[in-house]
């Protein structure tokens, strides 16, 4: 009998916890997993005593659903999503809905949305963030695709998602993002910003440990203190807990973890998108490359004994000097975080234009206020900036962020100077400041670059004393011709 509100395929950790969350909120959910024994195990254990219905085939799952049927896939991105869609579609009818809740690449979601519309069915690509805990008690959800599908899923999603405190009360961290692949694009940028936040915190830890000479407990206490101010965030909170965690021998577990970082690809996708759109998302790029460099463990160990340069030294600081240095690290972290988010919103703005998505950036910031990995107090300031001026050119130009960056200037620059002197790698801190200085420079040395391009390739250039859009070529050597290369961007 068709009594279930939604069917979910994929009973890994995220799937199981999201199902239990939906059950808690009064929705009856049917489930299926390719390994059918997982269904029975879930019903007999984690879902015992709930209204969750276990099914042993996709046909049975679809038959259990009220119309319009809503089938959510929480499976590995890529081919598995397409494969399951093909298995589900034969048991659906016109107007039914497939929801992809995985970390799919947004071009795939654009393609799938169009494919479902051809079949007179609907597709929703919904980024879900928050990990195991978020799925169970309230994730951030970023749905995009069919508006019809969104209206059908809205009550369920806004019931189970996280809620953020606003001036008007609690608001759901889930709203419609836009058509096609907009939801998965916003989730991709979220993950890219997450890469940046994590790298920035790692660089702060590295300086505090190797130059300031703080113990793990001191750093943990410091992060907890930082978490009471502008840097209040989930990632600062868990970093404080990690720093305080002791292994069985009483020593910090952190120092026994291999310094080689993994990645699943969403950060890389963000960087590729930035290159394709021509938006300089430099901090996320450096965060991705920092993970790649960490993976060269063997080469780094070899190079450490061969290449010359300063070795980080714990400084002998009096209490006042130590406090000033620690504050400088905090300011560098805060200012770099502002730059990273400004770059991320620049990227979403540009891709939104290209795709015809009417992205509401205040709503995006609200969706990230709770449930997701980058949730923080800071996002409330971003929401206020876009609520005040929806067409804001850049977050750095908002009065609040302009003032905050100004407060950070001295400590930010002193911290980076210290890192250079000490030989401390800080790629994310460094690129944030380089971008900021480049963005506020009215005339960059790209005039020489354009001259070089015209010299060797006749690529032409614009002159500041002539109308914009008038391209000219110079015969620099006197032996070249007057023919110029055609204009193109690559």
């Amino acid at each position: 009998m068709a009594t279930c509100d939604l069917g979910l395929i994929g009973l890994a950790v995220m799937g199981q916890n999201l199902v239990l969350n939906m059950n808690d909120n009064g929705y009856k959910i049917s489930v299926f997993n390719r390994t059918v024994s997982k269904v029975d195990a879930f019903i007999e254990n984690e879902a015992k005593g709930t209204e969750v219905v276990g099914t042993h085939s996709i046909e049975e799952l679809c038959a259990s659903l009220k119309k319009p049927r809503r089938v959510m896939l929480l499976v590995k991105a890529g081919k598995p999503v397409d494969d399951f869609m093909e298995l589900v579609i034969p048991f659906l009818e016109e107007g039914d809905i497939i929801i992809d809740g995985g970390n799919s690449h947004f071009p795939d979601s654009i393609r799938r949305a169009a494919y479902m519309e051809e079949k007179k069915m609907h597709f929703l690509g919904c980024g879900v963030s928050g990990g195991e805990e978020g799925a169970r008690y309230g994730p951030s959800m970023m749905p995009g695709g069919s508006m019809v599908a969104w209206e059908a899923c809205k009550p369920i999603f806004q019931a189970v998602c996280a809620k953020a405190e606003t001036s008007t009360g609690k608001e759901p961290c889930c709203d419609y993002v836009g058509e096609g692949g907009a939801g998965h694009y916003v989730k991709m940028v979220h993950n890219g910003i997450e890469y940046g936040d994590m790298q920035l915190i790692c660089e702060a830890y590295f300086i505090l440990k190797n130059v300031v000479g703080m113990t793990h407990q001191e750093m943990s206490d410091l992060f907890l203190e930082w978490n009471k101010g502008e840097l209040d965030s989930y990632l600062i909170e868990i970093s404080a807990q990690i720093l305080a965690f002791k292994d069985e021998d009483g020593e910090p577990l952190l120092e026994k973890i291999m310094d080689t970082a993994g990645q699943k690809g969403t950060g890389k996708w963000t960087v590729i998108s930035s290159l394709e759109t021509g938006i300089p998302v430099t901090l996320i790029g450096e965060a991705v490359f920092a993970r790649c460099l960490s993976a060269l463990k063997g080469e780094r160990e070899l190079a450490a004994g061969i290449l010359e340069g300063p070795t980080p030294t714990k400084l002998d600081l009096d209490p006042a000097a130590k406090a000033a240095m620690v504050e400088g690290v905090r300011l560098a972290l805060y200012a770099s975080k502002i730059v990273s988010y400004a770059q991320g919103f620049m990227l979403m703005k540009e891709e939104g234009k290209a795709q015809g998505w009417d992205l509401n950036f205040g709503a995006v910031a609200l969706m990230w206020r709770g449930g997701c990995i980058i949730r923080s107090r800071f996002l409330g300031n971003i929401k206020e900036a876009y609520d005040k001026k929806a067409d804001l050119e850049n977050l750095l130009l908002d009065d609040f962020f302009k003032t905050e960056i100004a407060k950070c200037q001295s400590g930010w620059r002193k911290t980076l100077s210290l890192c250079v002197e000490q030989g401390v790698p800080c790629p994310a801190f460094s690129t944030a400041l380089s971008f900021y200085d480049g963005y506020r420079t009215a005339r960059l040395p790209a005039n020489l670059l354009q001259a070089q391009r015209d010299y060797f390739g006749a690529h032409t250039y614009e002159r500041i004393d002539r109308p914009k859009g008038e391209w000219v070529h110079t015969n620099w050597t006197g032996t070249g011709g007057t023919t110029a290369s055609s204009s193109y961007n690559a």
Side-chain angles (χ1 to χ4, degrees):
M1 185 181 293
T3 60
C4 295
D5 300 296
L6 181 143
L8 188 140
I9 297 174
L11 289 176
V13 172
M14 287 289 285
Q16 289 192 17
N17 282 289
L18 198 57
V19 166
L20 295 174
N21 184 351
M22 290 176 179
N23 178 82
D24 290 348
N25 280 278
Y27 293 98
K28 189 173 181 179
I29 310 299
S30 57
V31 298
F32 174 75
N33 195 80
R34 182 173 54 186
T35 305
V36 179
S37 59
K38 266 197 167 186
V39 175
D40 295 331
F42 177 56
I43 297 299
E44 291 167 8
N45 294 283
E46 293 86 356
K48 188 174 182 179
T50 69
E51 294 295 312
V52 178
V53 175
T55 66
H56 295 125
S57 69
I58 290 174
E59 182 178 9
E60 184 184 352
L61 176 115
C62 292
S64 72
L65 301 176
K66 301 173 187 173
K67 295 181 181 180
R69 299 177 183 88
R70 290 165 286 206
V71 179
M72 187 169 192
L73 307 178
L74 273 172
V75 299
K76 187 177 179 181
K79 190 173 181 295
V81 177
D82 291 316
D83 290 345
F84 269 107
M85 285 181 66
E86 292 303 325
L87 292 171
V88 170
I89 286 171
F91 303 108
L92 300 183
E93 298 174 359
E94 185 175 323
D96 288 346
I97 299 160
I98 290 180
I99 308 141
D100 175 15
N103 265 335
S104 288
H105 200 194
F106 76 97
D108 289 337
S109 296
I110 293 173
R111 170 177 56 79
R112 289 166 185 151
Y115 178 62
M116 289 290 284
E117 289 302 319
E118 288 175 6
K119 295 184 174 295
K120 294 184 170 32
M121 298 176 190
H122 306 293
F123 178 84
L124 206 61
C126 183
V128 180
S129 179
E132 179 181 352
E133 183 183 353
R136 183 66 184 87
Y137 300 107
S140 169
M141 304 179 77
M142 295 150 257
S146 163
M147 176 60 83
V148 173
W150 163 240
E151 291 296 339
C153 296
K154 180 178 178 178
I156 301 176
F157 286 4
Q158 290 197 336
V160 303
C161 72
K163 309 297 186 295
E165 292 284 354
T166 70
S167 58
T168 57
K170 289 190 175 183
E171 296 285 340
C173 297
C174 172
D175 205 349
Y176 182 70
V177 176
E179 297 180 347
H184 276 132
Y185 191 86
V186 168
K187 176 58 163 57
M188 179 195 78
V189 175
H190 163 281
N191 284 24
I193 290 173
E194 178 185 310
Y195 273 55
D197 276 359
M198 294 170 76
Q199 178 64 24
L200 289 170
I201 293 169
C202 290
E203 291 178 17
Y205 145 76
F206 201 73
I207 299 166
L208 294 170
K209 183 181 81 164
N210 293 303
V211 180
V212 184
M214 296 180 75
T215 66
H216 287 74
Q217 190 57 55
E218 285 177 325
M219 288 186 284
S220 175
D221 292 342
L222 177 65
F223 277 31
L224 288 174
E225 187 63 31
W226 284 357
N227 206 43
K228 297 175 184 176
E230 297 105 332
L231 291 172
D232 167 31
S233 70
Y234 173 72
L235 285 169
I236 288 286
E237 178 188 333
I238 68 167
S239 297
Q241 295 173 14
I242 290 167
L243 284 160
F245 196 92
K246 301 289 195 298
D247 200 6
E248 294 175 353
D249 60 2
E251 295 298 313
L253 175 60
L254 180 58
E255 300 310 319
K256 298 181 182 180
I257 297 174
M258 184 72 72
D259 58 319
T260 54
Q263 53 185 314
K264 288 190 173 181
T266 45
K268 179 180 72 174
W269 290 344
T270 308
V271 176
I272 291 171
S273 178
S274 78
L275 293 171
E276 290 174 341
T277 56
I279 298 299
V281 184
T282 60
L283 197 145
I284 296 172
E286 288 293 352
V288 172
F289 292 137
R291 295 193 187 196
C292 296
L293 181 60
S294 78
L296 303 177
K297 177 68 172 176
E299 289 184 45
R300 288 190 289 111
E301 289 179 331
L302 177 65
I306 297 174
L307 299 181
E308 295 185 3
T311 301
T313 303
K314 294 177 183 177
L315 301 178
D316 185 16
L317 302 166
D318 61 49
K322 181 177 180 179
M325 192 172 290
V326 167
E327 176 62 4
V329 174
R330 186 188 74 83
L331 293 171
L333 176 55
Y334 182 38
S336 299
K337 184 182 174 90
I338 292 172
V339 168
S340 181
Y341 281 69
Q343 291 181 348
F345 277 83
M346 285 168 65
L347 181 60
M348 288 189 288
K349 182 177 182 179
E350 189 64 25
E351 187 65 37
K353 285 181 188 174
Q355 298 288 351
W357 298 331
D358 185 18
L359 299 179
N360 181 332
F361 295 121
V364 170
L366 176 62
M367 278 184 263
W368 293 349
R369 278 287 310 278
C372 67
I373 302 301
I374 65 170
R375 60 185 182 265
S376 64
R377 177 190 304 183
F378 175 89
L379 284 156
N381 303 123
I382 295 178
K383 182 181 185 303
E384 288 172 7
Y386 282 109
D387 284 350
K388 187 167 57 179
K389 189 178 181 184
D391 61 347
L392 181 66
E393 193 67 27
N394 190 296
L395 271 177
L396 296 175
L397 303 179
D398 173 72
D399 287 342
F400 173 81
F401 289 108
K402 173 176 168 283
T403 302
E404 293 299 283
I405 284 272
K407 290 179 187 175
C408 297
Q409 288 278 318
S410 178
W412 191 11
R413 294 181 187 278
K414 285 178 182 176
T415 298
L416 281 169
S417 297
L418 177 67
C419 289
V420 172
E421 290 172 358
Q422 287 276 327
V424 174
C426 53
F429 280 173
S430 298
T431 197
L433 184 57
S434 291
F435 173 85
Y436 177 76
D437 283 340
Y439 189 70
R440 67 183 187 85
T441 299
R443 186 164 171 81
L444 291 168
N447 54 327
L448 175 56
L449 193 150
Q450 279 298 90
Q452 291 168 338
R453 293 179 74 242
D454 190 56
Y455 187 108
F456 66 69
H459 291 298
T460 72
Y461 56 87
E462 294 174 288
R463 294 176 59 117
I464 60 175
D465 57 353
R466 294 187 186 178
K468 188 167 176 58
E470 181 182 320
W471 294 87
V472 296
H473 165 58
T474 292
N475 183 353
W476 296 91
T477 64
T479 58
T482 59
T483 302
S485 170
S486 59
S487 298
Y488 63 91
N489 288 311

